[in-house]
Amino acid sequence: MAYTRKNVRALKRGERRRFVDALLEVKRRGEYDEFVRTHIAHYAPDGEHQLRSAHMAPSFLPWHRKFLLELERALRRVDGSVTVPYWDWTRDRAIDALPWTDDLLGGNGRRSDRQVMNGPFAYREGRWKITDGVTEVPYLTRDLGRARHPVRLSTARDLESALADPVYDSPPWDSTVTRGFRNKLEGWGTGPGRSAWRNHNRVHQWVGGVMVGGASVNDPAFWLVHAFVDLQWTRWQLRHPGHRYLPAEPPGRGDAQHGRIVARHERLPPWDVTPAALEDLSGIYRYV
Ligand code: CU1
Ligand code: CU1
């Protein structure tokens, strides 16, 4: 029987507590930091020439689907009732409301150093020390909305523009492509500076602090954001039933993306799984 992933709004008090407790236990066991390191190791930009499996590439969606599933498995080894909730940022848009509450993710960082001071992941609570970061700062930081240089949170309209595209992804399969659902949702846009960020990327930028960059997994908000991203892939599939993950075949030898992206039936590092095998996991979990 498939289990369900819920909107974070629908979680009862006890469910919030069990989710938080499972995260803290996975952290205590040292498993959480392995997820952080895996994400950092796969943070390859498309300016470099190695294989990109996690970002700026078609497999952005299956990579994070598998990553999320592995974290959820770790949580469920601690407490079999726990699943990863999603944050619908198109609806819950206030910095002092869900999911930024004391009993869930905790709130915004303080003004001076952006350190999160409340909730279970505050450094001073003693259970969430950042060991694998892009800086040496050991505490969780956030800058919701980026007060000094405001970033507008992604909107329902922006999301709709991604969902409406029937093509999964297009050549050159990177961060510059302007057609295709994948990059519209991942959110690498054109234009100057911050105005270019769309959907998923803009959410990372809106949260700020450690959520910006390769070590973003250090903020547990990462999982709630990516559960919502993952739900969009499922919604897109339902809306465009004749369409699938692309490319179906690897780019040929003469193609600039040869050896740099993962085609539908190729292995998706670091796992022994293909994008095709990750297109439908409705036997494992469903969204409600
Ligand atoms: Cu990522
Ligand atoms: Cu992300």
Side-chain angles (χ1 to χ4, degrees):
M1 249 278 282
Y3 56 79
T4 57
R5 289 186 186 161
K6 299 176 184 172
N7 187 318
V8 70
R9 270 188 184 190
L11 260 50
K12 297 190 180 72
R13 225 164 59 192
E15 291 175 309
R16 294 186 196 184
R17 198 192 59 238
R18 286 198 298 273
F19 174 63
V20 165
D21 286 350
L23 277 168
L24 293 170
E25 176 59 16
V26 168
K27 176 78 169 172
R28 194 193 63 78
R29 293 178 179 184
E31 294 173 32
Y32 195 90
D33 293 332
E34 285 179 35
F35 286 93
V36 177
R37 288 191 290 271
T38 297
H39 193 263
I40 292 171
H42 289 80
Y43 206 71
D46 54 10
E48 293 169 18
H49 283 261
Q50 75 267 43
L51 178 76
R52 308 184 307 283
S53 58
H55 307 100
M56 297 182 170
S59 51
F60 167 71
L61 288 165
W63 195 93
H64 287 84
R65 173 167 284 183
K66 177 68 175 166
F67 193 52
L68 198 62
L69 189 62
E70 291 300 313
L71 181 274
E72 196 169 52
R73 281 184 176 148
L75 296 176
R76 290 167 67 81
R77 285 194 291 273
V78 173
D79 180 342
S81 76
V82 169
T83 66
V84 177
Y86 61 88
W87 165 39
D88 179 349
W89 61 75
T90 70
R91 294 183 170 206
D92 293 307
R93 305 175 62 80
I95 65 170
D96 53 359
L98 271 176
W100 315 110
T101 53
D102 268 351
D103 64 349
L104 205 63
L105 297 181
N108 201 1
R110 64 181 175 189
R111 228 184 131 83
S112 55
D113 58 1
R114 302 298 173 204
Q115 182 175 174
V116 171
M117 301 303 290
N118 66 307
F121 307 102
Y123 183 72
R124 61 179 184 180
E125 297 296 317
R127 299 175 75 182
W128 202 262
K129 180 175 189 244
I130 294 178
T131 53
D132 297 271
V134 284
T135 67
E136 300 289 294
V137 172
Y139 50 81
L140 179 60
T141 52
R142 288 187 191 127
D143 186 6
L144 303 180
R146 311 290 287 270
R148 272 172 239 172
H149 304 281
V151 171
R152 194 172 139 76
L153 188 55
S154 313
T155 62
R157 208 168 152 185
D158 198 11
L159 185 56
E160 175 54 32
S161 76
L163 284 167
D165 195 323
V167 177
Y168 178 82
D169 205 348
S170 302
W173 319 108
D174 61 8
S175 69
T176 68
V177 55
T178 53
R179 291 183 54 235
F181 166 65
R182 187 275 309 171
N183 196 35
K184 287 180 182 172
L185 181 60
E186 188 177 0
W188 305 103
T190 51
R194 345 180 126 226
S195 67
W197 300 321
R198 312 272 299 277
N199 286 309
H200 153 267
N201 280 344
R202 183 171 280 263
V203 175
H204 276 269
Q205 294 292 340
W206 183 88
V207 175
V210 305
M211 270 291 267
V212 177
S216 49
V217 175
N218 280 312
D219 190 335
F222 177 93
W223 307 105
L224 281 72
V225 167
H226 274 277
F228 192 59
V229 168
D230 188 63
L231 167 58
Q232 305 317 312
W233 189 15
T234 302
R235 285 183 176 163
W236 176 86
Q237 287 171 320
L238 290 170
R239 199 189 288 197
H240 309 286
H243 292 262
R244 290 187 64 184
Y245 180 94
L246 292 173
E249 301 294 334
R253 285 196 176 278
D255 193 304
Q257 293 298 323
H258 177 75
R260 297 172 64 192
I261 60 163
V262 178
R264 188 186 295 159
H265 301 290
E266 290 185 300
R267 183 177 164 262
L268 179 64
W271 305 286
D272 192 16
V273 68
T274 64
L278 291 163
E279 281 181 297
D280 179 9
L281 296 188
S282 61
I284 300 176
Y285 66 85
R286 282 161 209 247
Y287 288 99
V288 291

